[in-house]
Amino acid sequence: QQQVKQSPQSLIVQKGGISIINCAYENTAFDYFPWYQQFPGKGPALLIAIRPDVSEKKEGRFTISFNKSAKQFSLHIMDSQPGDSATYFCAASPWAAGNKLTFGGGTRVLVKP
Amino acid sequence: GAVVSQHPSWVICKSGTSVKIECRSLDFQATTMFWYRQFPKQSLMLMATSNEGSKATYEQGVEKDKFLINHASLTLSTLTVTSAHPEDSSFYICSASRTGRVYEQYFGPGTRLTVT
């Protein structure tokens, strides 16, 4: 059972455009929602994360929007650059020690120059 | 800060042999370490969770006798793939949560295992 559904599977955006990736979760115990960026052959790198007490968090060109009632959250990449071309994973976990992350299926983003 | 390393970065072994992968937190103490497996163009699949000095907790469907995990210290965890077979070929990634900020996981660069 996939508890975190991520869409789209792939995305092509022009340089300077906005990349939007959406995730939906089912488990109401989830209380921590990070986004990871992964380049081919590398491990995922933590980009930005949010907890449900806020509806939006921004760090540089990356923004997370969170809708608790809809159990959805999204990543917006503003002013997308070719260097942003990577696979992005959303994830979710309970806010607890020894938390286990449940990952979405991933979105491959290609930014065309 | 929060750097996690893995060694080796890639390894080729013959079927039937065992291979050990190390995961180290370089600049923090890791309360918990996690081991994942990732197939090409797929998401990360959690294999097991380990806490220092305790037995690892394996996810359903993961053979604990095949994937031996040892978390000997607050900065080192090892994954040993025993009697490896070609179907064990994959990208293995560890992550670590640091003491005091257990909700954040920092990932290592991964180890590419090829079993011939």
Side-chain angles (χ1 to χ4, degrees):
Chain A
Q1 179 186 7
Q2 185 182 4
Q3 295 189 49
V4 180
K5 294 184 178 180
Q6 184 171 344
S7 63
Q9 288 186 320
S10 63
L11 179 61
I12 300 175
V13 63
Q14 292 295 129
K15 178 182 176 182
I18 302 174
S19 303
I20 302 174
I21 306 170
N22 300 299
C23 284
Y25 63 98
E26 300 168 3
N27 189 343
T28 54
F30 287 154
D31 209 24
Y32 171 69
F33 304 89
W35 284 89
Y36 287 87
Q37 178 189 56
Q38 185 179 31
F39 293 104
K42 304 295 183 182
L46 179 63
L47 261 183
I48 186 171
I50 198 169
R51 292 199 65 205
D53 52 345
V54 296
S55 60
E56 186 175 282
K57 183 175 181 179
K58 182 177 180 180
E59 289 185 2
R61 296 184 294 111
F62 301 94
T63 300
I64 299 179
S65 296
F66 185 83
N67 186 329
K68 186 174 182 178
S69 61
K71 291 188 285 187
Q72 295 176 347
F73 58 110
S74 61
L75 176 70
H76 294 224
I77 306 174
M78 313 299 287
D79 187 26
S80 297
Q81 299 296 312
D84 297 332
S85 297
T87 299
Y88 294 81
F89 292 97
C90 63
S93 77
W95 182 262
N99 61 299
K100 294 194 295 186
L101 286 171
T102 299
F103 281 87
T107 298
R108 300 180 73 186
V109 174
L110 175 63
V111 181
K112 288 193 169 183
Chain B
V3 179
V4 177
S5 71
Q6 280 184 243
H7 178 79
S9 55
W10 59 271
V11 58
I12 301 173
C13 70
K14 291 186 177 181
S15 186
T17 62
S18 296
V19 61
K20 180 185 287 187
I21 302 170
E22 291 186 350
C23 175
R24 293 182 184 272
S25 56
L26 299 185
D27 53 0
F28 66 98
Q29 291 188 328
T31 305
T32 306
M33 286 185 167
F34 304 84
W35 286 94
Y36 295 83
R37 185 173 182 178
Q38 186 178 34
F39 291 105
K41 298 184 180 181
Q42 291 190 23
S43 189
L44 287 81
M45 182 191 78
L46 179 65
M47 299 175 66
T49 303
S50 72
N51 292 289
E52 184 261 342
S54 303
K55 288 185 177 180
T57 301
Y58 292 82
E59 294 300 298
Q60 189 173 9
V62 178
E63 299 177 60
K64 62 180 181 180
D65 294 330
K66 181 169 189 61
F67 298 100
L68 300 179
I69 292 172
N70 183 273
H71 194 156
S73 75
L74 283 173
T75 59
L76 173 64
S77 176
T78 59
L79 168 67
T80 302
V81 183
T82 62
S83 187
H85 292 283
E87 57 266 31
D88 298 325
S89 299
S90 189
F91 193 50
Y92 292 88
I93 313 172
C94 71
S95 71
S97 295
R98 56 183 177 177
T99 304
R101 301 190 69 170
V102 295
Y103 46 89
E104 293 179 351
Q105 286 189 31
Y106 298 92
F107 285 79
T111 297
R112 174 73 59 192
L113 170 63
T114 301
V115 184
T116 60

